[in-house]
Amino acid sequence: MEPLRKPLQGVWNIIRFNRHFYILAAVLVTGLLLASPYLKSPFSVLIVIFSCLVTLSTLVSLAISLYIYDLSGLYKLNWINVTVLPATTHPILVNINAGFDETSALLQLKYPGALLTVYDFYDPQRHTEVSIKRARRAYPAFNGTVRISTAAIPLPDNYADVVFLIFAAHEIRDKAGRDQFFGELNRVLKPGCKIVLLEHLRDVPNFMAYNLGFFHFMSRQSWLSTFANAGLNIARETKFTPFTTNFVLSKNGNTN
């Protein structure tokens, strides 16, 4: 059977889906370096230093992305602690993505007896990044994926054993909308069951990795506020890598 992920697929996807940024950086650095010999000092020196910093920042970002998405074992899903799954033969799993789904097939393979429902809250009116559009063209949706609004999850109360949100929830940029969405997650989650959230945070390690790109992520305090407003507790918080945080959430009153 062909492997679900190819070597270096993670960092290659970042390059090809965001190629406009890398092309712009290459053109900028090349143009500045070509112009620097014709400028007087100290401008020529400053241009060389600036060009080196842009190049270094780009290479560091790609190296860290390579580590996270290709070398850390992220997509082996071994970081998902077995204790989040109930002791049932056919657990009910819900996996929710923001338009680019790299995990549903892996979850189905990891938990073959589970009943897996997949939702996609991508909204072309709100999620206008060209990178997501390229990713959606490159990778078809998981079979049976249902498009939803973050305002309403089409599931009954107390339905799911585990809800997975892997690098998706930060795409809900509006805090009120994010709070409402997590309130919906609380509603559909069975008492005593779990939400598994994996995210980058707007923190020092991610600033060092992605420079100003870390503003695309939410701060830990912002997530804590959302969890509290939605009536959710943190049952466990761990670092999968220095750049990614795994929150395991439960309904208020359930911390196991």
Side-chain angles (χ1 to χ4, degrees), residues 1-232:
M1 184 177 67
E2 184 180 352
L4 293 180
R5 290 187 66 82
K6 297 178 175 61
L8 308 185
Q9 179 175 323
V11 72
W12 171 239
N13 281 343
I14 289 172
I15 292 171
R16 65 174 177 154
F17 297 155
N18 298 280
R19 58 183 178 270
H20 50 294
F21 290 123
Y22 297 105
I23 292 171
L24 178 62
V27 169
L28 175 64
V29 168
T30 301
L32 289 174
L33 291 178
L34 289 174
S36 64
Y38 301 98
L39 300 175
K40 295 182 179 180
S41 183
F43 297 107
S44 61
V45 175
L46 291 175
I47 283 177
V48 171
I49 293 174
F50 176 77
S51 299
C52 289
L53 289 175
V54 170
T55 302
L56 179 62
S57 175
T58 302
L59 293 177
V60 166
S61 172
L62 289 174
I64 292 175
S65 296
L66 173 68
Y67 161 62
I68 295 170
Y69 299 112
D70 294 305
L71 303 181
S72 69
L74 170 67
Y75 290 103
K76 293 181 180 178
L77 303 185
N78 293 331
W79 53 270
I80 300 176
N81 194 300
V82 294
T83 60
V84 305
L85 292 178
T88 60
T89 307
H90 302 291
I92 299 173
L93 310 182
V94 177
N95 191 30
I96 304 178
N97 67 80
F100 181 40
D101 183 3
E102 295 190 281
T103 55
S104 290
L106 299 172
L107 287 168
Q108 186 176 62
L109 188 64
K110 186 176 180 69
Y111 306 112
L115 303 175
L116 177 63
T117 300
V118 181
Y119 290 131
D120 170 7
F121 64 72
Y122 172 75
D123 181 349
Q125 301 302 316
R126 294 183 178 182
H127 307 132
T128 58
E129 298 93 341
V130 67
S131 57
I132 295 181
K133 295 178 181 178
R134 288 171 180 160
R136 289 174 69 83
R137 286 196 298 267
Y139 292 94
F142 182 77
N143 188 38
T145 297
V146 177
R147 293 277 296 275
I148 64 168
S149 162
T150 55
I153 299 174
L155 290 173
D157 296 355
N158 304 318
Y159 172 83
D161 290 309
V162 187
V163 177
F164 293 97
L165 281 160
I166 300 176
F167 298 135
H170 70 276
E171 296 293 352
I172 308 172
R173 309 305 297 172
D174 174 62
K175 186 180 187 309
R178 204 160 53 247
D179 291 353
Q180 182 181 26
F181 175 65
F182 275 82
E184 276 289 280
L185 297 181
N186 188 338
R187 179 185 65 78
V188 305
L189 190 69
K190 289 179 182 177
C193 292
K194 302 293 189 292
I195 298 167
V196 176
L197 174 73
L198 186 68
E199 284 287 350
H200 294 276
L201 297 183
R202 189 183 297 175
D203 56 13
V204 172
N206 281 291
F207 175 73
M208 299 299 293
Y210 300 111
N211 206 282
L212 296 180
F214 93 135
F215 282 110
H216 187 63
F217 310 132
M218 305 299 164
S219 68
R220 182 177 182 274
Q221 191 56 46
S222 180
W223 284 120
L224 296 184
S225 173
T226 288
F227 303 156
N229 291 342
L232 295 166

